[in-house]
Structures are given as C-alpha cells and as structure tokens.
Amino acid sequence: MTKTILVTGGAGFIGSHTAVELLQRDYDVVIADDLSNSSAKAIDVVSSLGGGGNVAFHKVDLTDESLVAELFDEHPIEAVVHFAGLKAVGESVEKPIHYYRTNLISTMNLLSQMANHQVWDFVFSSSATVYGTPEQLPIPETAPTGATNPYGRTKLMIEEICQDLAAADDRWRMSLLRYFNPVGAHASGQLGEDPRGIPNNLVPFVMQVAVGRRDKLQVFGGDWDTHDGSGVRDYIHVVDLAAGHLAALETLSEGCEAYNLGTGNGSSVLDIISTAEQVSGKSIPYDIVERRSGDIATSLADPSKANQELGWRADRNLEAMLTDSWRWQSMNPMGFADSSD
Ligand code: UD1
C-alpha cells in the first residue's frame, strides 16, 4: 500500500524538494501550505518532477486547528514532515508575537491532531540555529543549545515539546533535523529558492547579483577568525537535505532524536563568491562591510550521527551546489514569477 505523507510547507524551498524525493519513492504526498512565502507554481513543478505518486494540495493556515483536523479526516496520513513556519531572523526580532504565534500554534495543532488521529511519525525541520554561538567545532548534537533570537527560540521550543511528547507516550517516533545552510536547486532548473524581497541569505543574494537583479553584494565582516576573514558556514545541497528527510522518515524509531544535516565542510563568503563566479561566468562585485549583528565566525556540522544512524551522507560539493543554484536562477531570473501559468 502506498503511504501518504503530509508535508507542511511543501511549496517552500526545502519542502518542495523533499516532496519531489517522496513522490519519486512512490509515496503519496499531501502538501499543506499557506503560500505566505511560496508560490503555487512550485506545486505544479513538484507534481511533474515527482512522476509516480499523487499530490494533493491544500492552501491552509495551520494555526486554525479545525483546518488541520480536516487534513487528517480527508487523507490516510501516516506520517508528517513539518517544514511550515516563519524563518527570518531579523523579522522575528521585530515581530515576536507573530513568530511565536505562527510557529508554535501551528505545530501544537499538528501534534494534537496527529495524536487524535493516531499518527505518531513526525520529522521536524529544525535548524543549526538551536546551537546559538557554538563553543565546539564541528558541532555534535550533544552540544549545548541556546538560540539567540525569537525565530531560533521557536525551533528550540518545538524541539523541547517533541522531547516531552516522546517521553510521555512511547508511540511517538520523532526526528528533529538540524539543518546547516541549505543551498542549490533541483538539477532540472525548475525548482529552487525564490525569496520575496531582498534576500536575507547569502546564496540567493549572490545569484541575484550574478543574474543582474542587484548591483553588488555586501560581505558582512572581513575580520572574522577564519582562513580569509569572511564568515564560514557548512553549505548543503538541498537535494542532499531532501534525501536526509527520506532517510529520517524510513528509519524512525520509538522516541525523539536530533540529527545534524550538514556536510562537515566549511566554506567562506569569499569562497562562495569565487565559486559562483566560476560556475556562472559572471563577475560578482562586492564590498566588505561591518559584521551583521548576531552573526558568528564559523558554523560547521559534525554529521557523523546522521551518517551512521540514518545511513545518509551529503555528497554534493560546493561547485555542484552553486552550479544548480545558477541553473535555477539563470533559467528563472525572477523566480517563479517567470514560469508560465
Ligand atoms: C541564517 C540565520 C539562521 C537561519 C538560516 C536560515 C542569521 C544570523 N542566521 O543563517 O538563524 O537558520 O539563515 O537559512 O540570520 N552574508 C554576507 N552577505 C549577505 C548575506 C550573508 O556576507 O548579504 C554572510 C553571513 O554573514 C554569513 C554567511 O554569509 O557569514 C551566511 O549567511 P546566511 O545565508 O544569512 O546564513 P546564516 O547566517 O548562517
């Protein structure tokens, strides 16, 4: 029997790539997304790239519990992969009520309705942001947690809620996936990251400069304690990340476990610029400016727990990541706004 998976936030960057991987493995997928930071066009692309399984799409606000209940009444959902949520650090500092309300209430509604419908398998989209300012590099899952902004705290609070649920009832099987820096795009060039407004994250900004939508990149700090003075991160290809969700789903066991999803390799902002210039053939002008508030010098995963327990490894390198990001950006300079209806 085909299994049906509820993917919340399935029109978004990571959710849509994961939905494609699920469909290609013959799962049926129910996508719930309010489209507040994503495009319905992504759903059509997911269906066409996914090939095999069925996709049902519901435009739904998960903070309304009655609508969440309807999803479970309507579909034979056996597991939930939960991406839906707000994710802009700066905005979360400005609008904490909006962040806590959206991220926490939607998750509580989901977990309550899962329990009501006897669905116990849950994969959660967490973030390396739960490590705050790391004391140890690479960062193992056992490192102390402590987020530094409301967005990060919602991730951490949801992780703790999951731990409490699993401790209270041994039917829960939960995986908390702590992503490092997801970049890249689907190899078809039809699915990729499409931020609204000015991108907060590095790679979408770099690609918008390369494609001519923006003049120049600002590099936040040139005096970090790193090999070239710019910030170092563990970038991971979104298709590797999506495969990590499949691996987590298929190895779920009783309880609640956290896993780092990263490569274990660090790249600096200047490494990203030079690799992006090389794969795109475009020059990427930049200025080195002040550090961004809240940034850290280096973030790097120790992915060995996921490698061993999930039997998963991220193997696409930086060149492959940026080649795919560039293919998406150059085929769709304005993101999904370019695709025909
Ligand atoms: C950021 C968030 C993190 C969140 C993640 C989600 C902050 C402080 N952290 O991670 O909580 O989980 O996004 O995707 O916002 N950079 C520039 N110029 C730019 C943009 C970025 O130099 O225009 C640099 C940053 O200083 C950093 C690196 O590029 O060194 C990566 O930045 P970014 O893509 O924003 O990711 P994180 O800060 O790691």
Side-chain angles (χ1 to χ4, degrees):
M1 255 267 297
T2 307
K3 272 191 155 194
T4 301
I5 313 293
L6 172 61
V7 180
T8 74
F13 176 44
I14 306 168
S16 61
H17 285 82
T18 302
V20 169
E21 297 298 306
L22 286 165
L23 290 164
Q24 288 181 342
R25 289 266 204 116
D26 284 333
Y27 289 97
D28 284 342
V29 171
V30 177
I31 292 178
D33 198 304
D34 69 356
L35 303 181
S36 60
N37 191 27
S38 57
S39 167
K41 289 174 185 159
I43 311 283
D44 299 334
V45 178
V46 165
S47 302
S48 85
L49 294 176
N54 293 313
V55 186
F57 172 55
H58 295 262
K59 183 173 184 300
V60 54
D61 176 354
L62 301 174
T63 63
D64 182 337
E65 189 169 357
S66 64
L67 299 179
V68 177
E70 281 173 21
L71 296 171
F72 288 90
D73 292 337
E74 197 170 320
H75 299 280
I77 292 164
E78 293 188 34
V80 177
V81 188
H82 180 35
F83 296 96
L86 300 172
K87 61 164 189 116
V89 173
E91 187 187 45
S92 80
V93 175
E94 306 288 319
K95 300 179 183 170
I97 292 179
H98 185 46
Y99 269 67
Y100 286 117
R101 223 185 88 74
T102 307
N103 289 3
L104 297 181
I105 295 179
S106 57
T107 307
M108 287 312 304
N109 289 343
L110 260 181
L111 293 167
S112 307
Q113 289 304 321
M114 287 178 70
N116 283 351
H117 291 80
Q118 305 284 311
V119 177
W120 307 104
D121 286 3
F122 188 66
V123 175
F124 176 58
S125 167
S126 188
S127 167
T129 201
V130 301
Y131 297 117
T133 304
E135 285 160 19
Q136 186 187 344
L137 291 167
I139 311 170
E141 288 82 354
T142 49
T145 52
T148 56
N149 55 71
Y151 152 74
R153 273 188 282 277
T154 66
K155 292 291 183 196
L156 196 48
M157 286 174 186
I158 293 167
E159 286 203 358
E160 288 169 347
I161 290 167
C162 290
Q163 301 282 6
D164 287 342
L165 265 58
D169 187 329
D170 60 16
R171 287 174 293 181
W172 287 106
R173 308 196 309 162
M174 304 176 126
S175 226
L176 312 171
L177 304 183
R178 295 173 174 168
Y179 315 151
F180 281 69
N181 289 63
V183 300
H186 193 269
S188 65
Q190 295 181 61
L191 204 54
E193 189 167 10
D194 182 21
R196 295 208 172 150
I198 301 169
N200 291 312
N201 295 115
L202 177 65
V203 170
F205 202 108
V206 165
M207 292 298 153
Q208 291 191 8
V209 173
V211 85
R213 273 175 74 177
R214 301 190 188 276
D215 293 338
K216 200 180 256 198
L217 173 75
Q218 294 192 323
V219 176
F220 298 142
D223 57 353
W224 295 101
D225 183 15
T226 61
H227 65 271
D228 61 19
S230 66
V232 167
R233 297 289 182 273
D234 185 335
Y235 295 92
I236 174 170
H237 196 296
V238 65
V239 174
D240 282 333
L241 189 62
H245 292 73
L246 270 280
L249 191 65
E250 291 176 351
T251 54
L252 279 172
S253 60
E254 186 184 313
C256 181
E257 283 295 327
Y259 296 98
N260 286 340
L261 298 187
T263 64
N265 301 315
S267 307
S268 71
V269 178
L270 299 182
D271 294 334
I272 294 278
I273 294 171
S274 59
T275 309
E277 286 185 327
Q278 179 204 320
V279 302
S280 68
K282 306 283 179 188
S283 86
I284 298 167
Y286 65 89
D287 288 327
I288 297 183
V289 301
E290 290 296 289
R291 293 179 177 188
R292 178 173 67 180
S293 131
D295 265 353
I296 53 178
T298 303
S299 169
L300 203 56
D302 175 349
S304 51
K305 183 178 174 192
N307 297 162
Q308 283 154 24
E309 296 184 16
L310 306 181
W312 164 91
R313 184 175 300 278
D315 47 25
R316 290 168 177 83
N317 65 18
L318 192 63
E319 196 180 322
M321 296 178 212
L322 297 180
T323 298
D324 288 341
S325 291
W326 174 242
R327 185 181 301 107
W328 154 252
Q329 190 73 69
S330 53
M331 284 171 64
N332 311 273
M334 301 304 289
F336 287 108
D338 282 332
S339 3
S340 55
D341 287 314

